[in-house]
Amino acid sequence: MSSWRFTGSPKAEDTASTVNDSSINNAKNTWPEPSPEWSSAIEEWGWIWFAHIYGFGSLFVLMTLYAFASLYRFRKTLFAKQKVHLRVMNFALMTAGFGRCLALFWDPYASRESTSVIQNIVLLTSWGIATACMTSAFSIMLLIFLETTRTKLGPPKLRNLPLLVSITVANIVYLILSDLVVWFYRKAKVMIFVCHVTLAIWGLAIFVGYFVASVRMWRNLGSTLQSRNSNNQYSIRDVKKLKRLFVFMSVASIFGVCNFSVSLYVSIGEFGVFTTNSYAKSWPWFAIQTAMRTMELLLSALVFLIAVESPKTCSKNSQSVSRFATARRSTIQSASESQTAAL
């Protein structure tokens, strides 16, 4: 807002300044999702705002570097199929971390007044691609877990890497297309709504899958141990590893459901594209963004922990999950033979 009062014909400098301010505001107001009134909000937040952007930005840098290092670390996985899965998962997390830290360091949430149209579009698409890649990494980790523990969940056609990668690519293409269309034609904002809601529902389904898969693994482990008391293939170390895996999966499911529930609320609530508010309330918006960044980092850390546990159990030195799968198959076969004999 300009502080001068109109007392006659404006000076050329004032006119130019007004035009520039107007063009910046128009560029900011092009996007249908409301954001805070940045000048007053940043002043109100104070140092917490800078702690948010630089703190989370630095953590996403560490996440990117760790994912990059893991591309080399998981090369020793025993099974070639899992090696491919782990590499794709880490590449997705690396892309997600890079997209987040790029946006947070370059122009956090498009809050700077000097942001150009091209820069805004690049930031929007990179942020969306990061979200899609992160969700893809979570789904691939679920697939790895199902394969290593021989746990069945969902239709067999959905349990394959090419399909998950295809879903991610289709999501990214639609995301870029919808961002470009809505930027130049705001009335098409329903495209953004469909993209956000679909991604949130997909994420919720994935983390419900985490919980169901972990519970099934735990039940399978219990029944397998009970049926093999006299000739147990497990060591105490093996059981502890599987218990850790169960805990990681369960905690990840809780954080994942919370994260994508908040994302769904943002899409359909007062921060979504159909809101009538021109600006978002500063403190509620800040609290939601902080909560979502925190949960994204925690989920990524849990996925790394699950990935570390799963390949170890498939290595030559420690094959607890492989033994679990073998023992589980033997138990099922023995039960089937007993039922056949009884008949």
Side-chain angles (χ1 to χ4, degrees):
M1 296 290 293
S2 179
S3 60
W4 54 271
R5 261 191 273 175
F6 180 75
T7 57
S9 300
K11 295 181 181 180
E13 293 83 355
D14 293 333
T15 303
S17 177
T18 304
V19 171
N20 289 335
D21 290 342
S22 177
S23 63
I24 290 172
N25 290 330
N26 288 336
K28 293 289 183 183
N29 294 331
T30 298
W31 196 247
E33 292 176 308
S35 58
E37 205 291 306
W38 291 114
S39 57
S40 60
I42 293 175
E43 184 178 353
E44 184 179 1
W45 293 328
W47 65 269
I48 300 177
W49 166 249
F50 299 100
H52 175 99
I53 58 177
Y54 293 115
F56 283 120
S58 300
L59 290 173
F60 278 114
V61 168
L62 293 176
M63 169 182 155
T64 304
L65 294 175
Y66 187 86
F68 178 75
S70 296
L71 289 172
Y72 175 79
R73 180 181 183 182
F74 291 139
R75 78 192 189 282
K76 295 181 180 180
T77 302
L78 184 62
F79 302 113
K81 186 177 181 180
Q82 283 191 343
K83 188 182 297 184
V84 174
H85 289 17
L86 286 166
R87 285 183 174 177
V88 174
M89 185 201 75
N90 279 285
F91 181 78
L93 284 175
M94 185 176 66
T95 304
F98 178 77
R100 284 288 189 266
C101 65
L102 174 69
L104 288 170
F105 284 135
W106 186 9
D107 186 1
Y109 307 103
S111 59
R112 293 173 183 167
E113 293 185 353
S114 59
T115 303
S116 65
V117 172
I118 295 177
Q119 184 173 330
N120 263 321
I121 293 174
V122 171
L123 288 170
L124 282 169
T125 54
S126 63
W127 191 269
I129 290 171
T131 303
C133 287
M134 202 175 295
T135 308
S136 175
F138 299 154
S139 65
I140 294 170
M141 188 64 253
L142 177 59
L143 177 62
I144 294 172
F145 177 83
L146 294 175
E147 290 183 349
T148 54
T149 60
R150 308 288 183 181
T151 304
K152 294 182 179 180
L153 179 66
K157 292 182 179 180
L158 292 178
R159 300 197 301 266
N160 67 85
L161 183 62
L163 178 62
L164 295 179
V165 173
S166 299
I167 291 173
T168 304
V169 172
N171 191 17
I172 290 173
V173 171
Y174 178 80
L175 185 147
I176 295 173
L177 180 63
S178 60
D179 283 351
L180 291 173
V181 171
V182 174
W183 183 265
F184 294 104
Y185 186 68
R186 187 170 177 173
K187 291 183 179 180
K189 58 186 179 182
V190 68
M191 295 179 69
I192 299 296
F193 176 78
V194 170
C195 182
H196 289 180
V197 170
T198 302
L199 193 61
I201 293 174
W202 175 238
L204 285 171
I206 290 170
F207 282 102
V208 169
Y210 269 63
F211 180 75
V212 174
S214 63
V215 170
R216 287 185 180 179
M217 184 209 74
W218 186 256
R219 288 178 178 175
N220 292 345
L221 175 62
S223 60
T224 303
L225 289 175
Q226 288 177 5
S227 64
R228 291 183 164 266
N229 286 330
S230 59
N231 186 24
N232 201 337
Q233 298 185 31
Y234 291 96
S235 65
I236 295 177
R237 184 181 178 185
D238 293 336
V239 174
K240 286 183 177 179
K241 284 184 178 180
L242 291 171
K243 286 182 178 179
R244 268 202 311 270
L245 201 55
F246 169 76
V247 171
F248 291 154
M249 290 288 291
S250 300
V251 174
S253 69
I254 294 171
F255 280 120
V257 169
C258 290
N259 181 64
F260 286 99
S261 296
V262 172
S263 179
L264 187 61
Y265 165 75
V266 169
S267 301
I268 64 178
E270 61 178 309
F271 302 107
V273 296
F274 292 114
T275 185
T276 57
N277 300 327
S278 300
Y279 294 100
K281 296 178 182 178
S282 58
W283 280 111
W285 180 92
F286 184 83
I288 285 177
Q289 297 300 327
T290 301
M292 292 182 71
R293 299 296 83 74
T294 302
M295 286 188 286
E296 286 172 355
L297 286 166
L298 287 173
L299 284 170
S300 299
L302 284 168
V303 165
F304 282 131
L305 288 172
I306 296 168
V308 167
E309 288 296 320
S310 295
K312 278 185 179 179
T313 56
C314 296
S315 66
K316 295 179 180 179
N317 296 327
S318 176
Q319 298 180 344
S320 58
V321 169
S322 295
R323 286 199 295 270
F324 166 72
T326 304
R328 181 61 185 161
R329 284 197 302 271
S330 300
T331 302
I332 294 173
Q333 290 174 359
S334 298
S336 300
E337 291 173 358
S338 298
Q339 291 177 357
T340 304
L343 292 173

